[in-house]
Amino acid sequence: MKIAWKQHLTGYAFIGPFVLGFLIFTLVPMFVSLYLSFTDYDLFSAPEWAGLANYKKMFLHDPKYWNSLKVTFLYVLGGVPLRLLFALLIAMLLNTASRAIGLYRTLFYLPSIIGGSVAVSIMWRNLFGDEGVVNILLGSLGLEAVRWFGSPLAALWMLIFLSVWQFGSSMLIFLAGLKNIPSSYYEAANVDGAGAFSRFFRITLPLLSPVILFNAIMQTIGAFMTFVPAYIISKGEGGPLDGTLLYSLYLFRQGFVFTNMGYASAMAWVMLIIIAILTAILFKTSRFWVHYESKGDQ
């Protein structure tokens, strides 16, 4: 009994820091924010119970909220598929035997390490300026320069391009999935005379579909929580004409610029519900397009 108790104590000692950190910095703040979402709280005075007032204001009396939701959905629908496609393309190019393949993988992964930083967001803003590198390249191709900060749609696409550039984590996961596909499948397909497109759509995509599902869920959640690029590029205002006012940025402005912390807490919980619903939809529909390898296939 003493030995077993000592073993239990050792296990508790190892998981203790995580459990304490989860309780103090995650679980307790979540319940506090849930309470604050039903209050009128301005950060400087005690919260006053307001019931469903914050949610009524959000859904019925705040057009900017609906605009931020629309902008965020456009950002997610435009950025996540492009990011996954680009990551899969690069992963397939890197799925080769080469002495320098490790260096290539590292170089392609670097944007994901530094891509969400303040410095990169500032660099991205300068690249897409009126006299930035992007417009210089467009001019050299005989195309008209784009006023990226003068059009809401152009500014949003600038954010989407930045998210696509941060494809490294998805690429590595796709690469791991590609490594797990037996080469014998491709050899048999070659013997049968299958072309590159046929091999891709009949072998690669079906066997990679569980990885695609995982990447789609993780990238969707990450896209909804995007904050730093939108804040830096729009100088914290979500312009032009609220074209880059992502949900997280509007939540931040409500909580820390306008000091409507109760309203911001309500927004946070609605975003949590939206992400949960979208994740559930992806899982529910996955049975129609995700193929898992059965024991009989091994």
Side-chain angles (χ1 to χ4, degrees):
M1 291 293 293
K2 289 183 178 180
I3 295 175
W5 178 245
K6 288 182 179 179
Q7 291 176 344
H8 290 319
L9 285 179
T10 302
Y12 292 142
F14 276 108
I15 67 172
F18 169 79
V19 172
L20 288 176
F22 178 76
L23 291 175
I24 296 173
F25 298 109
T26 302
L27 194 60
V28 172
M30 282 182 64
F31 283 107
V32 172
S33 71
L34 179 61
Y35 165 72
L36 291 178
S37 71
F38 296 100
T39 65
D40 183 11
Y41 180 45
D42 62 2
L43 290 175
F44 301 105
S45 57
E48 295 182 3
W49 185 259
L52 297 174
N54 289 323
Y55 294 94
K56 290 180 181 178
K57 176 185 175 182
M58 188 187 312
F59 295 128
L60 302 177
H61 307 293
D62 189 358
K64 271 202 170 187
Y65 169 80
W66 289 105
N67 180 73
S68 70
L69 195 61
K70 182 190 74 173
V71 170
T72 303
F73 269 98
L74 290 175
Y75 175 78
V76 172
L77 293 175
V80 172
L82 287 177
R83 190 172 183 174
L84 294 180
L85 286 173
F86 197 64
L88 179 57
L89 174 63
I90 300 299
M92 294 184 68
L93 292 176
L94 294 179
N95 190 29
T96 58
S98 172
R99 291 184 178 180
I101 198 66
L103 175 62
Y104 296 149
R105 292 171 185 170
T106 302
L107 292 176
F108 279 113
Y109 185 68
L110 280 177
S112 290
I113 300 177
I114 63 175
S117 67
V118 173
V120 170
S121 298
I122 294 174
M123 178 197 73
W124 206 258
R125 179 182 175 86
N126 293 330
L127 287 175
F128 284 84
D130 291 341
E131 298 180 358
V133 175
V134 174
N135 277 336
I136 292 175
L137 291 175
L138 290 176
S140 65
L141 296 174
L143 302 174
E144 288 189 13
V146 178
R147 295 193 68 241
W148 297 98
F149 299 99
S151 167
L153 186 59
L156 181 60
W157 272 106
M158 180 173 52
L159 286 180
I160 291 174
F161 291 149
L162 177 55
S163 73
V164 174
W165 185 63
Q166 302 164 356
F167 63 89
S169 58
S170 300
M171 177 203 69
L172 288 182
I173 296 172
F174 277 136
L175 192 57
L178 290 171
K179 293 292 184 182
N180 284 328
I181 298 178
S183 58
S184 59
Y185 292 176
Y186 295 105
E187 293 170 359
N190 285 329
V191 171
D192 291 338
F197 284 98
S198 181
R199 293 196 301 270
F200 177 74
F201 286 103
R202 294 180 179 274
I203 297 177
T204 305
L205 276 186
L207 294 180
L208 206 61
S209 56
V211 180
I212 295 174
L213 173 64
F214 174 80
N215 266 336
I217 292 173
M218 298 305 297
Q219 296 305 319
T220 300
I221 294 173
F224 268 100
M225 296 190 297
T226 300
F227 170 74
V228 173
Y231 180 84
I232 298 299
I233 290 175
S234 69
K235 297 182 179 180
E237 297 180 355
L241 300 176
D242 295 334
T244 59
L245 189 65
L246 297 182
Y247 196 103
S248 57
L249 178 57
Y250 188 50
L251 189 156
F252 170 83
R253 288 178 61 80
Q254 284 291 340
F256 296 98
V257 177
F258 307 126
T259 65
N260 296 327
M261 187 55 69
Y263 189 68
S265 299
M267 286 185 61
W269 275 93
V270 171
M271 182 170 70
L272 176 64
I273 294 172
I274 291 173
I275 293 175
I277 291 174
L278 291 177
T279 303
I281 291 173
L282 284 172
F283 272 114
K284 192 69 175 178
T285 57
S286 65
R287 61 192 181 97
F288 298 108
W289 58 276
V290 177
H291 306 278
Y292 295 99
E293 186 178 7
S294 62
K295 292 182 179 180
D297 297 331
Q298 297 178 355

